[in-house]
C-alpha cells in the first residue's frame, strides 16, 4: 500500500490540547521541583557535595523508586490516558487519583483512553486535587482542635483499613463483567491469576529462606509481572477462557440464571 493510500490517524482536539499542555505543565513541575531545593540550599549556603548526595544509601533508594516510577507509568497510563500528566504531577495515584478517575469513568459509562474517558478522568483528577488542597488547608488551620480526634483508638484502628478498603473496591471492579461500550471482557481477572501465583510463591520462598520480604523489590516485580500478565491474558483469550462478548449476551446469561 502506498503512503498516499494509508489511513491517517487523527487525534481528538481535546486529546491534542491535553497532551500539549500536559507536557508543558510536566516540564514546569519538574523544573520547579528540582530548582526549589537548590534555591533554598543556596540561600542558606548549605549545598551538599556530589559525594554527599550520591552514596550507597541514595543508590539503594533509587533502585527501589526508579523501577516503581517506570512501572507506574506503564501500568496507569493506559487507564488514565491524557489525564496522566495531571495525575503524575499531583501524586497520590494509587490510593486517590486512580480510584477517582476509574469511578468517574464508570459512572459516566465512558471507556478509558478515549476522548470522552480522558475528559472525565481529567475532571475527576482535577476535582480530587482541589479537594485535597482544601482539606489539607482546613486541617492545617484547625489542627489544634482536631488533633485529639486522631489520637482516639477507634480512629487509629479505622485509619489502618483505608488503603485496604480502596484496593478492595478496585478489586471488586475486576470481577464485574460490565463495562462501557457494546463489548465487555468476561473472566478478565483470570489473566492475573498466574501473576498472583508467582508472587505468592516468591514471597513464601523469600520468607522461608531468608526471613525477609519482597517489599524492596516491588518496582522490579511490577516490571517483570506486567508482560507475564499480558502474555497469560492473551493465551487465555486464545483458549477461550477470557472472552470479549456483547453486553446483551451477559444480560441474557444473567436472566437465564
Amino acid at each position: 500500500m502506498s503512503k498516499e493510500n494509508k489511513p491517517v490517524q487523527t487525534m481528538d482536539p481535546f486529546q491534542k490540547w491535553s497532551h500539549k499542555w500536559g507536557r508543558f505543565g510536566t516540564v514546569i513541575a519538574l523544573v520547579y521541583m528540582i530548582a526549589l531545593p537548590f534555591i533554598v540550599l543556596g540561600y542558606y549556603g548549605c549545598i551538599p557535595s556530589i559525594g554527599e548526595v550520591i552514596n550507597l544509601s541514595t543508590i539503594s533508594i533509587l533502585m527501589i523508586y526508579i523501577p516503581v516510577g517506570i512501572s507506574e507509568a506503564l501500568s496507569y497510563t493506559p487507564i488514565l490516558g491524557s489525564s496522566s500528566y495531571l495525575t503524575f504531577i499531583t501524586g497520590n495515584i494509587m490510593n486517590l487519583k486512580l480510584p477517582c478517575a476509574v469511578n468517574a469513568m464508570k459512572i459516566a459509562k465512558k471507556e478509558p483512553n478515549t476522548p470522552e474517558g480522558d475528559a472525565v478522568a481529567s475532571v475527576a483528577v482535577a476535582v480530587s486535587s482541589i479537594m485535597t488542597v482544601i482539606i489539607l488547608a482546613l486541617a492545617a488551620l484547625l489542627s489544634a482542635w482536631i488533633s485529639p480526634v486522631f489520637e482516639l483508638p477507634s480512629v487509629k484502628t479505622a485509619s489502618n483499613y483505608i488503603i485496604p478498603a480502596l484496593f478492595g473496591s478496585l478489586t471488586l471492579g475486576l470481577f464485574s463483567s460490565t463495562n462501557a461500550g457494546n463489548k465487555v471482557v468476561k473472566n478478565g481477572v483470570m489473566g492475573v491469576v498466574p501473576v498472583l501465583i508467582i508472587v505468592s510463591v516468591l514471597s513464601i520462598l523469600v520468607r522461608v529462606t531468608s526471613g525477609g520480604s519482597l517489599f524492596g523489590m516491588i518496582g522490579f516485580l511490577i516490571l517483570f509481572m506486567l508482560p507475564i500478565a499480558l502474555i497469560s491474558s492473551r493465551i487465555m483469550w486464545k483458549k477461550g477462557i477470557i472472552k470479549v462478548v456483547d453486553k446483551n449476551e451477559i444480560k441474557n446469561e444473567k436472566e437465564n440464571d
Side-chain angles (χ1 to χ4, degrees), residues 159-212:
S159 62
N160 293 330
Y161 293 93
I162 293 177
I163 300 300
L166 286 172
F167 278 93
S169 62
L170 290 172
T171 304
L172 287 175
L174 293 174
F175 291 94
S176 175
S177 296
T178 59
N179 202 345
N182 297 323
K183 299 290 185 179
V184 296
V185 178
K186 186 178 179 182
N187 299 329
V189 72
M190 295 299 296
V192 299
V193 171
V195 174
L196 293 175
I197 295 173
I198 293 173
V199 173
S200 299
V201 171
L202 288 175
S203 299
I204 294 172
L205 289 176
V206 171
R207 177 69 65 178
V208 171
T209 56
S210 63

Side-chain angles (χ1 to χ4, degrees), residues 25 34-35 39 49 51 68 73 75 93 102 113 118 120 133 136 138 142 146 160 178 192 224 238:
I34 294 173
I39 294 173
S49 63
V68 169
S75 55
I93 302 172
V102 172
N113 212 11
D118 287 4
V120 171
V133 173
L136 290 176
L138 291 174
L142 304 174
I146 65 175
N160 293 330
T178 59
V192 299
F224 179 67
K238 290 284 188 181

Side-chain angles (χ1 to χ4, degrees), residues 191 194 227-242:
I228 293 179
L230 292 173
I231 293 171
S232 62
S233 297
R234 181 171 178 79
I235 293 173
M236 292 184 186
W237 174 66
K238 290 284 188 181
K239 297 289 185 179
I241 299 173
I242 298 175

Side-chain angles (χ1 to χ4, degrees), residues 1-220:
M1 182 182 292
S2 62
K3 293 183 178 179
E4 292 77 7
N5 296 328
K6 285 184 177 179
V8 179
Q9 294 182 351
T10 58
M11 191 179 294
D12 183 83
F14 170 77
Q15 290 179 314
K16 288 182 179 180
W17 176 88
S18 186
H19 281 290
K20 174 185 175 182
W21 290 104
R23 294 178 185 130
F24 183 69
T26 301
V27 172
I28 292 178
L30 288 173
V31 171
Y32 176 81
M33 287 185 286
I34 294 173
L36 186 60
F38 283 98
I39 294 173
V40 174
L41 293 172
Y43 178 80
Y44 289 102
C46 55
I47 296 179
S49 63
I50 296 178
E52 291 174 325
V53 175
I54 302 176
N55 49 47
L56 185 60
S57 300
T58 307
I59 294 174
S60 62
I61 294 173
L62 290 176
M63 288 181 64
I64 296 174
Y65 282 101
I66 288 178
V68 169
I70 295 173
S71 60
E72 285 183 349
L74 293 175
S75 55
Y76 297 158
T77 302
I79 301 173
L80 296 167
S82 60
S83 68
S84 300
Y85 300 104
L86 182 59
T87 305
F88 283 107
I89 290 172
T90 55
N92 286 336
I93 302 172
M94 192 62 192
N95 62 336
L96 186 61
K97 303 301 169 51
L98 184 64
C100 288
V102 172
N103 192 49
M105 286 187 284
K106 186 175 181 179
I107 293 173
K109 297 181 179 179
K110 301 301 180 183
E111 293 184 354
N113 212 11
T114 61
E116 297 82 3
D118 287 4
V120 171
S122 298
V123 172
V125 172
V127 172
S128 174
S129 301
I130 294 172
M131 289 302 300
T132 301
V133 173
I134 293 174
I135 293 172
L136 290 176
L138 291 174
L141 292 173
L142 304 174
S143 59
W145 290 277
I146 65 175
S147 57
V149 177
F150 295 102
E151 299 299 325
L152 296 174
S154 58
V155 176
K156 288 184 176 180
T157 302
S159 62
N160 293 330
Y161 293 93
I162 293 177
I163 300 300
L166 286 172
F167 278 93
S169 62
L170 290 172
T171 304
L172 287 175
L174 293 174
F175 291 94
S176 175
S177 296
T178 59
N179 202 345
N182 297 323
K183 299 290 185 179
V184 296
V185 178
K186 186 178 179 182
N187 299 329
V189 72
M190 295 299 296
V192 299
V193 171
V195 174
L196 293 175
I197 295 173
I198 293 173
V199 173
S200 299
V201 171
L202 288 175
S203 299
I204 294 172
L205 289 176
V206 171
R207 177 69 65 178
V208 171
T209 56
S210 63
S213 68
L214 297 175
F215 181 77
M217 301 178 63
I218 291 176
F220 294 100

